[in-house]
Structures are given as C-alpha cells and as structure tokens.
Amino acid sequence: MDTYGGRRSQGERDAITVEIGYALCSAAFAAAVLFGAVAGPAYLFGLPAPVRGALVGSGVVLAVVLFFVRVVSVLVRFARRGQPSQPGRTSPDS
C-alpha cells in the first residue's frame, strides 16, 4: 500500500474506503450482538434493577471494547495483507 512518497491510485483509495466501511459495519454488528447477549436477559426475565443495571453496564463496556478491537484488527490485517499490483489479480506471494 506504500507508494514510496507518491500518491495512491484511485483503486488503492477505493480499497481503503471499502475496508474501513467493512471494519465499521462488522464491528457495529458484532457489538450489537454482544450487547444483546449480555443485556438481553436483564429485560427478558424481568430481573431486579441493580442486576439489570449491572448487566446493561457491562454489556455497554464489552460492546465498546469489542467494537474498537474489531475495527483495529480488520484494518491492521488489511495493512499487512498488501494489495495486488493490478485489479483482479493476486500478488505473486499469495
């Protein structure tokens, strides 16, 4: 992805944009599922307020952490993977 001080091509910019969008969408989905799994039983079973508050609070914290971990891991993996030299072709070392 590094062009040695030069400008990135349109294809490279598009690939980065798509990867950022994928990272954000997949992270938001994973965080929502985790929050629902942790906080959902608090509302489903009508638990007392202190227990419900603890579950919702821990669900929020875990969802936020998962969101950031997912975004970073997807973008780091993308940066390490590198891009093919021509669209639609794989790089020789793949």
Side-chain angles (χ1 to χ4, degrees):
M1 188 66 50
D2 188 18
T3 57
Y4 303 106
R7 298 186 141 200
R8 290 187 172 110
S9 69
Q10 183 63 42
E12 290 173 328
R13 289 194 307 265
D14 290 345
I16 292 169
T17 302
V18 168
E19 199 68 20
I20 290 170
Y22 169 73
L24 292 173
C25 290
S26 68
F29 178 76
V33 168
L34 178 68
F35 177 78
V38 173
Y43 295 104
L44 185 63
F45 299 120
L47 298 175
V51 175
R52 184 174 52 230
L55 285 175
V56 170
S58 62
V60 167
V61 169
L62 289 172
V64 168
V65 169
L66 176 67
F67 179 85
F68 285 113
V69 167
R70 176 70 180 157
V71 168
V72 169
S73 69
V74 167
L75 295 180
V76 165
R77 185 175 54 219
F78 175 74
R80 286 186 184 160
R81 179 176 61 199
Q83 293 298 301
S85 58
Q86 296 178 0
R89 303 207 180 194
T90 59
S91 51
D93 59 346
S94 62

